[in-house]
Amino acid sequence: MTSTDHSSATVKTTCPYCGVGCGVNAKATGTEGDQTHPANRGRLCVKGSALHETLTPEGRLLKPSVRGRDTDWSTAINEVAGAIRESVDQHGPGSVAFYLSGQLLTEDYYVANKLAKGFIRTPHVDTNSRLCMSSAVAAHKRAFGGDLVPGCYEDLELADLLVIAGSNAAWAHPVLYQRMQASARPGRKVVVIDPRRTATSDLADLHLALRPGTDTILFNGLLVWLAHHGVVDKHYLDAHCDGYEDSLAAARSVAPNVDAVASLCDLPVEEVNRFYEWFSEHPRTVTAFSQGINQSSAGTDKGNAIINCHLATGRIGKPGAAPFSLTGQPNAMGGREVGGLANTLAAHMDYDSPGARDRVARFWGTDSVADGPGMKAVDLFDAVERGEIKVLWIMATNPAVSLPETDRIRQALARCPTVIVSDCVRETDTARYADILLPAAGWGEKDGTVTNSERCISRQRRFLPLPGEARPDWWIVSQVARALGHGPGFDYQGPADIFREHARLSGFENDGARFFNISGLANLTDWQYERLAPTQWPARGGEPDADAGAQRLFTDGRFATGNGRARLIPVGSRLPVRPPTEVFPLVVNTGRIRDQWHTMTRTGRSGRLLAHRPEPFIDVHPEDVRAYQLMPGGLATLTSAHGQFIGRVRVAPEQRRGEVFVPIHWNRQFTGQGLATALTDSLVDPVSGQPEAKHGRAALAEWPARWHGRLLVRRDRPRRWQADYWAHQPIAQCESWFVAGHSTVDWAEAVADWLGGAPQLVMQDAREGRFRAARIRNGQLEAVLMVDRDPNALPAMDWVAECFSLPELDEATRRGLLAARALDGDDMGNLVCSCFQVGDRQIQKAIEQGANSVEALGQALRCGTNCGSCLPEIRSLLPVITEAV
Ligand SMILES: Nc1nc2c(c(=O)[nH]1)N[C@H]1C(S)=C(S)[C@@H](COP(=O)(O)OP(=O)(O)OC[C@H]3O[C@@H](n4cnc5c(=O)[nH]c(N)nc54)[C@H](O)[C@@H]3O)O[C@H]1N2
Ligand SMILES: Nc1nc2c(c(=O)[nH]1)N[C@H]1C(S)=C(S)[C@@H](COP(=O)(O)OP(=O)(O)OC[C@H]3O[C@@H](n4cnc5c(=O)[nH]c(N)nc54)[C@H](O)[C@@H]3O)O[C@H]1N2
Ligand code: SF4
Ligand SMILES: [Mo]
């Protein structure tokens, strides 16, 4: 593999973040939306348009290492193979486990799955998709007989009623959200179902802020209502579905009428009625759902409750009518296709599919495959904790942050004899537990395919040289396979070889029972693979037009069940199993913010992306702020049975009382104690095994701070300070930290440690608990510390950060530093638009000066005119103008 300079060429590739799967035109110097990609037609959200900022060499894992020592590839590969061989010899194949990720490319995923299940013969292969999509997968399988997403993105635009359940698409699937927004037309209705008001509610004609976990009741009630009002499609049910009567009876027993639903879901009767009426009136209905549905101890039931209503009305397989699971990760779907989940085998075959084990073994040219199913993520880590797993290979996921009960997960990792971690980033919370660290090629450095939420396979293409010793994941796995003596099965020259094999397996002895069939792509030449345009599956090839209409599945009413009929599933009223208690009275909801991706290993590097929400926070309803005597803008602690979360208190009228929301993103590289997974139980859905990540329980209290501070330091300076609370915010010009402490500090004494030397500028006002100091070297700013008793008295840091770029600090700037603001300027306020770095104070000011629309603000300040991710927030700052009818 040679390094070539690709920097000037534009390469068509796919965004590595969310499951929308946008096409990206990439260069080493920047990214823009691909006009020709069917998912986004040129659009990109803020994360996609900041991709190049995250491609820094900083923090990359560049060399293999074994037990803390850098080494070469052949040593590392032999160590991995040796550990696996020894474990299998001494404890059997089931002592080896793989924990994979929806962020692997399909080719990487296929090879890892093949090595584990086919050659090491361990069934214990699971993936972070367990935490993400497994309830949707299970609901699809129960209803359709296969993990099949019936609709396509166009349906979201064609629908006359768009129901968005448990999804904050405005922040989590921004480009799809923009498509939903752009397709608004008179009469089109949008219902958002979410306990809290989100940026997505911006689009809602009706927002149902239901009691968390009660979605099954709401949709059961809908089924009862549809039956009662004669809206069910008897014809469709007779011709294509089983299970209607039983499902209706089950629904009646828990949600007999609108009053019961309203009371159980804690919603006004009129709102429930309106939703049910709109559902009745609009045959073109799409229900898009995501983690508010999946991440629940009733996740599979919630999915089936939704699908039941679509089947009962025949709203499936038709333009603008479908239940639509929005997938999270860029290749959540590809992973499901190769069989990455513990209960699946390969190519949409389960262990218990008739003949599957034998068929896959013959195809792979191995004597037999693992006897599964294997353990699902939460059970798998329990087994690690019990010492049953001796070798755990983690690829492209950060379980020390993302699995519930993080402290217990960390203990399990510490206890496991051999932990192998393949990642692109050197310091992650999981990598700290690695015995063997393998440097993986990242986005832009490797080739392969991903499948998005609408079953569209797109190419990720390489446009950067491989840094250091980094190698693509498929290569690493294949080398280990060869070292284990399985060379012939893993003799791949490149991802095209793997893709062809995967495509061939999908069609192998497939008489039509497996809808996932891309055998039409099995004979692509290397050249054709290189140029493969986005392709929706199935892609069977063969006779002309075999797949015409594959944009949607089930158009002919035939499903993937044994008898070809869909199944309505009787769904009870399973509510969150662990309701709040006196000790832990608050419901903890966890989720995403607009500009960060998961555990921040990549997006945390972009100062621009971290500016929108720079610190872990807790959204608290105003009355709870009062009841718990919290200081808005101060710090508070959430304490659960498993751990603690410290975050900044945000007064959030969009929350329901008694419920708080915390972001999932912060890890221990970025803050001392801000992990959402310290607050959630490892309680799982009984069918899918997906953890209930949206319903933790905790107690809330003020974090008693004697002082609050901000520290800004030029890059790469040694750190000699300690604080009870800290959160790290890289800024373009410098590093910065939010800090706070429980006890009084003599700042005059301590300041040199914090600033890396004695300051030249100092201001102290002991009575106010105020301290400011700056260190200057060779005329340039080195470090600044600002301390205040009142956190809200600390100034915004944007102006101070800019002082780091000045070649020489003049007198006015020096005075300004002690006041912490430009003497003649003012602060931008909280960041709203990441692309053009525009804050809410600037927007307020422009509004006062007469810019009274999103467009006018865009003209005045440019905010919202690039990716559009901030438009819902800009709109919320504008005074509400009632439109003339
Ligand atoms: N910016 C950004 N985008 C992302 C990601 C990211 O990390 N950052 N990650 C990607 C991934 S992997 C995923 S899986 C998706 C997730 O995408 P989403 O599922 O849209 O995101 P979340 O914020 O996890 O949760 C969605 C909503 O569920 C609501 N919710 C909580 N409990 C309930 C309930 O009981 N019922 C209902 N109806 N709603 C409830 C929450 O209040 C929240 O607003 O996002 C993808 N896109
Ligand atoms: N409380 C709570 N917990 C949650 C959730 C929630 O809503 N609430 N959401 C859950 C969901 S839906 C998800 S998807 C998970 C996500 O959780 P994780 O999968 O743990 O999060 P990531 O930060 O995406 O981890 C991906 C890792 O892979 C590395 N990486 C990136 N590209 C590559 C590559 O090409 N090869 C290799 N080898 N490594 C690579 C990254 O540097 C990073 O360390 O979190 C889950 N946990
Ligand atoms: S919506 Fe944003 S994060 Fe998702 S694929 Fe498109 S550009 Fe990437
Ligand atoms: Mo996810």
Side-chain angles (χ1 to χ4, degrees), residues 791-803:
N792 299 306
L794 283 167
M797 290 293 130
D798 34 310
W799 178 79
V800 180
E802 293 196 350
C803 295

Side-chain angles (χ1 to χ4, degrees), residues 428-640:
T428 72
D429 287 20
T430 302
R432 303 186 93 174
Y433 299 91
D435 299 284
I436 304 175
L437 260 176
L438 305 173
W443 184 77
E445 299 157 2
K446 58 193 217 171
D447 276 296
T449 55
V450 289
T451 309
N452 72 7
S453 294
E454 60 165 353
R455 288 175 278 107
C456 184
I457 299 171
S458 295
R459 279 294 316 270
Q460 268 196 23
R461 294 186 177 90
R462 178 177 164 194
F463 59 94
L464 292 169
L466 287 171
E469 297 293 314
R471 293 288 179 273
D473 289 288
W474 69 264
W475 181 91
I476 302 172
V477 177
S478 301
Q479 292 299 313
V480 171
R482 287 180 204 185
L484 284 168
H486 307 306
F490 294 84
D491 188 21
Y492 305 114
Q493 300 308 303
D497 285 345
I498 304 168
F499 184 81
R500 284 186 287 258
E501 183 179 313
H502 164 58
R504 228 172 32 249
L505 177 56
S506 74
F508 184 61
E509 297 177 1
N510 185 350
D511 55 5
R514 280 140 54 204
F515 279 38
F516 172 67
N517 187 338
I518 54 167
S519 52
L521 305 174
N523 295 317
L524 296 181
T525 62
D526 286 358
W527 190 87
Q528 287 169 319
Y529 176 78
E530 187 45 45
R531 278 157 191 73
L532 183 68
T535 305
Q536 220 167 3
W537 66 256
R540 287 179 291 256
E543 73 269 32
D545 289 336
D547 288 311
Q551 230 188 335
R552 298 182 181 85
L553 300 180
F554 318 134
T555 46
D556 56 359
R558 187 179 73 87
F559 292 83
T561 50
N563 64 3
R565 293 164 69 83
R567 292 184 288 245
L568 285 85
I569 304 294
V571 166
S573 65
R574 174 179 264 275
L575 295 175
V577 180
R578 291 185 192 151
T581 61
E582 224 166 279
V583 185
F584 301 119
L586 288 153
V587 173
V588 180
N589 181 3
T590 69
R592 283 145 180 88
I593 59 175
R594 194 188 73 191
D595 293 2
Q596 284 303 317
W597 177 261
H598 293 168
T599 71
M600 297 181 30
T601 61
R602 288 172 289 167
T603 41
R605 283 176 200 286
S606 158
R608 194 154 72 93
L609 291 181
L610 206 50
H612 180 238
R613 293 276 190 277
E615 204 187 359
F617 61 86
I618 309 175
D619 276 351
V620 190
H621 187 276
E623 285 178 36
D624 287 330
V625 171
R626 270 193 293 280
Y628 291 93
Q629 300 180 328
L630 306 178
M631 181 199 290
L635 293 168
T637 312
L638 284 164
T639 308
S640 76

